[in-house]
Amino acid sequence: MEAAEMTSSERERLDLGSCEALESVLKTLSFRSISLNEATLQENGAAASLLEMIMFYDSAVRLDLSGVGGMEPSAWRSLALLLKQSPRLSHLDLTDVSLVHGPVHGPVQVLSRVLPSSRISELHLDGTGLSGRPLFTLVGALRTNRSLRRLHLNNNRLNSYQDALQLGDLLRFNSTLETLQLRDNLLEDDGLEELCDGLLRQKEEGLKILLLNNNHITERGMEPLARVLPVLKVLQVLDLGQNLLGNEGVLVIRQPLMVNSSLLQLGLKRTNISCEGAVALAEVLAETRTLQVLDLRQNRVKVGGLMALSLALGINRSLVSLELDLKLDLDRDLESSNEDLLPQFCTTHVCG
């Protein structure tokens, strides 16, 4: 018999006795999802006992341990054994659970021993402190993994030097990973260059979704991206939102975007784009045959840029969603809009 999910109450404290009391439930039901989000597993083996029962009864497809407190060394060993042996477990969420406490970053070391052969397909490690040596250890384990499809490494303060180099290596040697979330880190322009070098190694299969929101990337980071965009075959979703790209950054990738044949979605939310950048993107829309979603929310696009985009949409046959949330004083903006940008666009792409 299969139930939908088991969810603990937020901040619930589970001791050894209460965990053992769950055995009769785990023995009877197989759960699609077991969530212990924000629960506190008190010491004396409560966490290890519960994880051993989940493993023994093969109880869950998805296991959410995000924000869990009280994970002792024995619990990490039990979790590693669960990852190694469970044929059903495919999703593990360890968001906001430190992987670097104890001698020699104990938890990440324990998990990395079983990750090369684990069957897990989705792993959430947001806010787990993986920067530096722990990330090196994790990447070393994942380079040969052939099951993991989605990896979340948001909010780990990943840097532009050592951490970016490791992530680039992951993309060079692993072609089964399809989603890589790296939001809210510190990868910067040099880090993006390392990622681009890794993407170049992927030919027929590899990363399809790359999220780089809020990574202190500027227009300089668009230069290595411009070199790889024309030859990318696999990447379908790229989100560069909340980075200071500006119009200059958009102009750098304008021509490469026109010839790219893989991207389906491009996120440019809050990237300091104004009418000049919008006109450049309108040129992209007039040429692209693949782009389906373009996110331009929270930018400074006024009437001139909107008119250019509108004209481009009359030509484009691929876009299904142009995301905007602008509030304009149209009468005032029409008087001061960058109308000098429109004739050039119109002559080139509409009027012929």
Side-chain angles (χ1 to χ4, degrees):
M1 182 176 181
E2 183 167 341
E5 64 178 40
M6 175 191 289
T7 306
S8 70
S9 301
E10 186 172 329
R11 301 296 181 189
E12 185 170 350
R13 300 181 67 84
L14 299 175
D15 58 18
L16 183 59
S18 58
C19 287
E20 290 180 345
L22 290 171
E23 182 171 8
S24 59
V25 178
L26 297 174
K27 181 166 52 177
T28 306
L29 299 175
S30 293
F31 291 89
R32 185 167 60 249
S33 173
I34 295 179
S35 175
L36 300 173
N37 176 262
E38 298 289 347
T40 298
L41 296 165
Q42 295 181 341
E43 297 182 2
N44 68 22
S49 175
L50 182 56
L51 291 168
E52 286 169 6
M53 284 187 284
I54 292 172
M55 176 184 66
F56 183 79
Y57 296 111
D58 201 13
S59 302
V61 175
R62 302 166 63 92
L63 179 59
D64 183 355
L65 299 176
S66 57
V68 164
M71 291 280 285
E72 300 174 304
S74 60
W76 289 109
R77 291 192 293 271
S78 296
L79 180 59
L81 197 58
L82 174 62
L83 287 173
K84 182 178 181 179
Q85 295 188 359
S86 173
R88 293 183 72 231
L89 186 66
S90 65
H91 175 114
L92 176 63
D93 192 337
L94 289 169
T95 297
D96 295 329
V97 179
S98 175
L99 296 182
V100 298
H101 62 271
V104 199
H105 311 306
V108 73
Q109 292 278 1
V110 172
L111 294 180
S112 293
R113 294 191 190 104
V114 298
L115 282 175
S117 58
S118 171
R119 300 181 183 91
I120 196 166
S121 62
E122 183 166 345
L123 183 58
H124 292 240
L125 300 176
D126 307 322
T128 53
L130 280 173
S131 178
R133 183 72 183 181
L135 183 67
F136 174 82
T137 302
L138 177 73
V139 168
L142 293 179
R143 284 169 63 166
T144 57
N145 179 284
R146 294 296 176 261
S147 297
L148 191 65
R149 297 291 183 268
R150 295 170 292 279
L151 177 61
H152 296 210
L153 295 174
N154 305 311
N155 191 30
N156 276 297
R157 299 190 65 81
L158 302 177
N159 61 56
S160 61
Y161 175 52
Q162 295 165 319
D163 296 337
L165 182 64
Q166 297 307 317
L167 294 170
D169 276 345
L170 179 60
L171 297 181
R172 292 180 188 99
F173 292 99
N174 185 312
S175 60
T176 56
L177 189 66
E178 296 178 352
T179 298
L180 182 57
Q181 292 200 16
L182 297 170
R183 294 177 296 192
D184 302 318
N185 283 297
L186 303 169
L187 293 175
E188 302 180 323
D189 301 325
D190 292 337
L192 179 55
E193 184 170 9
E194 290 289 349
L195 293 173
C196 288
D197 288 345
L199 290 172
L200 276 176
R201 302 290 186 92
Q202 303 185 339
K203 304 300 182 184
E204 301 302 325
E205 58 181 10
L207 201 68
K208 296 180 180 178
I209 301 174
L210 178 60
L211 306 186
L212 291 167
N213 314 59
N214 190 27
N215 264 281
H216 301 262
I217 297 169
T218 71
E219 68 274 9
R220 187 170 67 86
M222 297 300 94
E223 295 172 5
L225 182 60
R227 292 194 292 270
V228 303
L229 277 173
V231 297
L232 289 182
K233 304 296 183 185
V234 185
L235 191 67
Q236 298 178 359
V237 179
L238 176 63
D239 200 331
L240 297 166
Q242 298 172 267
N243 289 294
L244 291 175
L245 309 183
N247 296 328
E248 297 81 2
V250 173
L251 290 171
V252 171
I253 60 174
R254 174 182 54 184
Q255 189 64 37
L257 283 173
M258 291 181 187
V259 299
N260 173 274
S261 60
S262 70
L263 276 186
L264 304 179
Q265 299 183 33
L266 177 61
L268 295 172
K269 178 181 177 180
R270 206 163 77 186
T271 50
N272 201 32
I273 295 173
S274 65
C275 285
E276 184 181 2
V279 170
L281 290 168
E283 295 184 44
V284 173
L285 293 182
E287 296 291 335
T288 182
R289 297 294 178 265
T290 56
L291 195 63
Q292 298 177 6
V293 178
L294 177 60
D295 187 352
L296 291 175
R297 291 174 294 166
Q298 298 182 29
N299 281 295
R300 298 180 292 110
V301 181
K302 300 299 178 71
V303 170
L306 292 176
M307 290 176 66
L309 290 168
S310 178
L311 291 172
L313 292 177
I315 301 172
N316 180 278
R317 292 295 179 265
S318 65
L319 202 73
V320 296
S321 177
L322 175 60
E323 300 183 12
L324 298 162
D325 58 358
L326 302 174
K327 296 180 181 179
L328 296 173
D329 182 344
L330 295 180
D331 291 335
R332 182 192 65 189
D333 196 56
L334 278 170
E335 296 175 0
S336 59
S337 65
N338 295 322
E339 295 181 39
D340 57 312
L341 298 174
L342 294 178
Q344 178 182 359
F345 172 78
C346 183
T347 301
T348 305
H349 297 282
V350 179
C351 302

